[in-house]
Amino acid sequence: MKIHVQSRSGKPLGTLTLPNDADVPALKAAYAKQTPSMYVDRQRFYLPAVGGAKPVALGDRATLAAAGVADGGTVVFKDLGPQISWKAVFVLEYLGPLLIFPAFLLGQRAIYGRVTPPGSVAAEHQVALALAWALHYAKREFETLCVHRFSHATMPLGNLAKNCGYYWGFAAAVAYFAMHPLYTPASDAAYISGLVTFYFMEAGNMWCHFKLRALRPAGSTVRRIPMGGPFSYVSCPNYTCEIGAWVAFNVACPTVWGWAFAACGAAQMAVWAAGKHRNYRKEFDGKDGRPLYPRSRKALIPFIW
Amino acid sequence: MALTMARGYLFVYNMAMCLGWAYVLGRLLVTVANPPPPPDPGYPHTPVWDAVEAPLKLFQTGAAAEILHAATGLVRTPVGTTALQVSSRLFLLWPILAGLPPVRGRAAVGSLVAAWAATEVPRYAFYAVGAAGAAVPRWLVWLRYSTFLPLYPLGAGSEVALIVAALPVVARARGAYLSLAMPNRWNVAFDFWVWCAFIIVMYVPGLPFMYTHMMRQRRKALGAAPKTRAM
């Protein structure tokens, strides 16, 4: 079958010859062969807009015939721009905080012109807090490289600056005050309870990530209901633990910027949790042999929300 | 019912703001036309500020409601842009002008108030007519989307001039005026002088961004300029 490709403005971009049973990935591969700069991850195809309706994107799972593209039909091409792998983005965005916090501690004299009095409570706290922060991001790097499976291969390169800006910027803001020679430490009770809770939540978060990985065998798209442990109470206990860890960190290390970072993260994770919870309930509705998602399970906060 | 109430509220709000800014503009013009005699030496000469202070504080602070209107979906304007514009003005009004008396005598105060008021009168009038459900006259649409062309650079220039004028005043009171130093139990510091310097730097990308945003809105509202045939 012959498929005509045009830009969103209607400019012809070429004609592709494909097998009659070709699917969207085959279309993308053929277009990448014709236009090498437009590699597969950079492409998105749409059906031409009819009237004032929005153009319909062609999903990767559909065959062209099923999507309504006949022999001699036309598809609209959109360039998604330069892409970067999700894994690379995560590695880079977490590398900043991993290095920034210890850098502020080790470079006190260069940054502030003085150091926290050696042997003081503040100095002891700062070492433990810098270690806790660094371990959190070391854990994230490990999970990115060895645990997480990404449903999308790439994201737009422009997102790299945004994501790195968020993590690196907050890391610098929190570290500047947390590692300051004039840092005022938390009380012993707040410091100890905060750090203990932080590590407990980190362990919980990691357990959840391993549990989620085990739910989906490599290379498959099968979806199951997560069960056991904190999953009995909430749909996204990994987010619950993450938020809990940052709240605990800020109890042990009280800074305005730290609380701001925790609040921004919690707000974003609440949005994600609500979406995932909604999808779970919609997908596992108990009909046509599908399991029923536990009705008592909440999105993020056990028994509440 | 709710829709009618919302439109009624928006009409009253925009009409009040339009009249308020017209009053500010009137006070400014009267003061410029008949300037009061300068006071005794040693006393600050701030005729424009003295004339417009009360209504300016009231109606410019009242603009903060626009952020709520955008956030609650009462009006279809982006929250970010609205918040940026209103907060930048409130920054000029309260910590700079209201908080630093030596800055009030600058000539830029007059050009600032003129730019603000002359922009706001047609803008709020435009919104009020729209909220009333009436057809907005073509001349008012043109005014709404054209006054910014000369007034936006004038206003922004005046704002920068006043923040620059504030820098030495803040420097003399460094650490005492709207600033917080370490150590403190919140482990945070804030230096108002640094903040002022940062704001000045932000005008460099900010002004072209906002100006092009307004130009796009103008093109959308007024349509493409009529093509003239070559003779």
Side-chain angles (χ1 to χ4, degrees):
Chain A
M1 64 192 295
K2 283 198 184 323
I3 303 292
H4 303 292
V5 181
Q6 65 177 41
S7 71
R8 286 189 292 171
S9 62
K11 181 181 147 197
L13 297 174
T15 302
L16 302 172
T17 305
L18 297 164
N20 289 336
D21 61 347
D23 55 8
V24 176
L27 168 69
K28 288 183 177 180
Y31 190 71
K33 199 172 178 183
Q34 181 200 288
T35 316
S37 63
M38 295 298 157
Y39 44 89
V40 169
D41 288 322
R42 213 177 152 153
Q43 302 174 30
R44 182 169 290 157
F45 286 98
Y46 295 85
L47 294 174
V50 181
K54 272 190 171 177
V56 179
L58 297 175
D60 274 354
R61 290 180 197 170
T63 62
L64 293 173
V69 183
D71 187 13
T74 301
V75 290
V76 177
F77 168 72
K78 181 187 178 185
D79 176 13
L80 297 177
Q83 300 286 302
I84 183 170
S85 78
W86 278 76
K87 197 167 269 197
V89 170
F90 283 155
V91 166
L92 287 170
E93 72 185 30
Y94 299 150
L95 191 62
L98 177 62
L99 301 175
I100 286 168
F101 225 86
F104 271 89
L105 177 66
L106 300 172
Q108 276 188 332
R109 194 171 295 284
I111 296 164
Y112 309 101
R114 55 175 151 178
V115 296
T116 310
S120 65
V121 172
E124 287 173 14
H125 282 206
Q126 284 174 328
V127 172
L129 293 165
L131 181 65
W133 177 285
L135 284 173
H136 170 84
Y137 283 99
K139 176 186 86 72
R140 282 203 185 182
E141 293 284 28
F142 165 73
E143 288 173 339
T144 299
L145 296 169
C146 307
V147 180
H148 295 317
R149 292 203 180 104
F150 299 100
S151 51
H152 298 286
T154 66
M155 66 159 82
L157 185 61
N159 284 13
L160 181 65
K162 187 175 69 180
N163 290 25
C164 286
Y166 173 78
Y167 280 103
W168 296 23
F170 262 122
V174 178
Y176 179 84
F177 294 107
M179 300 295 112
H180 200 288
L182 297 176
Y183 169 75
T184 303
S187 67
D188 284 351
Y191 169 70
I192 293 164
S193 61
L195 269 188
V196 168
T197 307
F198 173 81
Y199 282 115
F200 177 75
M201 290 291 179
E202 287 290 287
N205 176 267
M206 199 169 195
W207 182 88
C208 292
H209 286 152
F210 275 110
K211 184 85 174 169
L212 288 169
R213 178 190 165 87
L215 275 182
R216 181 182 288 181
S220 81
T221 54
V222 67
R223 286 144 85 93
R224 299 198 198 101
I225 299 173
M227 293 290 191
F231 283 104
S232 308
Y233 304 99
V234 288
S235 293
C236 301
N238 49 326
Y239 295 155
T240 308
C241 290
E242 180 80 7
I243 294 166
W246 285 121
V247 168
F249 182 86
N250 285 299
V251 168
C253 176
T255 67
V256 167
W257 282 103
W259 283 111
F261 181 49
C264 288
Q268 179 61 79
M269 283 183 266
V271 172
W272 289 338
K276 284 177 190 271
H277 186 64
R278 194 166 48 245
N279 289 345
Y280 275 136
R281 293 183 77 145
K282 199 157 73 177
E283 187 173 354
F284 301 109
D285 54 6
K287 294 172 187 166
D288 303 325
R290 288 185 295 270
L292 180 67
Y293 196 70
R295 292 288 145 195
S296 61
R297 195 179 290 189
K298 301 296 181 185
L300 189 67
I301 307 165
F303 314 113
I304 299 168
W305 182 77
Chain B
M1 176 64 184
L3 182 68
T4 317
M5 276 185 70
R7 285 181 74 150
Y9 160 73
L10 284 174
F11 173 74
V12 171
Y13 171 80
N14 287 302
M15 204 66 223
M17 293 294 277
C18 176
L19 294 171
W21 278 106
Y23 177 62
V24 170
L25 189 58
R27 292 286 293 257
L28 173 70
L29 293 173
V30 167
T31 307
V32 171
N34 307 300
D40 297 331
Y43 286 89
H45 185 43
T46 56
V48 171
W49 176 256
D50 295 340
V52 302
E53 178 185 3
L56 182 66
K57 282 178 174 176
L58 176 64
F59 294 105
Q60 186 53 75
T61 306
E66 289 191 54
I67 303 170
L68 289 175
H69 297 166
T72 55
L74 202 58
V75 295
R76 285 182 307 168
T77 47
V79 186
T81 317
T82 308
L84 188 70
Q85 284 182 303
V86 173
S87 58
S88 73
R89 285 193 178 191
L90 291 177
F91 169 72
L92 256 293
L93 176 65
W94 290 104
I96 301 293
L97 289 172
L100 300 169
V103 180
R104 297 174 193 165
R106 298 279 174 158
V109 174
S111 56
L112 176 83
V113 175
W116 284 3
T119 304
E120 298 301 43
V121 172
R123 188 171 78 89
Y124 283 117
F126 172 86
Y127 289 149
V129 174
V136 184
R138 183 78 185 157
W139 61 267
L140 185 55
V141 177
W142 186 88
L143 263 182
R144 155 77 180 98
Y145 288 103
S146 302
T147 50
F148 82 90
L149 289 166
L151 296 177
Y152 213 88
L154 176 69
S158 305
E159 288 171 23
V160 171
L162 290 171
I163 302 170
V164 169
L167 287 176
V169 182
V170 175
R172 281 197 293 276
R174 201 156 187 181
Y177 184 66
L178 299 180
S179 297
L180 178 67
M182 292 274 276
N184 56 66
R185 57 187 291 223
W186 307 285
N187 288 306
V188 71
F190 181 73
D191 189 323
F192 190 68
W193 190 93
V194 173
W195 179 247
C196 287
F198 172 71
I199 294 287
I200 292 167
V201 171
M202 288 314 291
Y203 269 87
V204 178
L207 179 63
F209 172 78
M210 292 302 289
Y211 202 75
T212 51
H213 167 73
M214 296 291 287
M215 288 293 282
R216 273 197 301 274
Q217 281 196 313
R218 183 175 193 268
R219 267 199 300 275
K220 213 185 292 180
L222 302 181
K227 287 191 174 75
T228 52
R229 258 192 318 207
M231 296 301 282

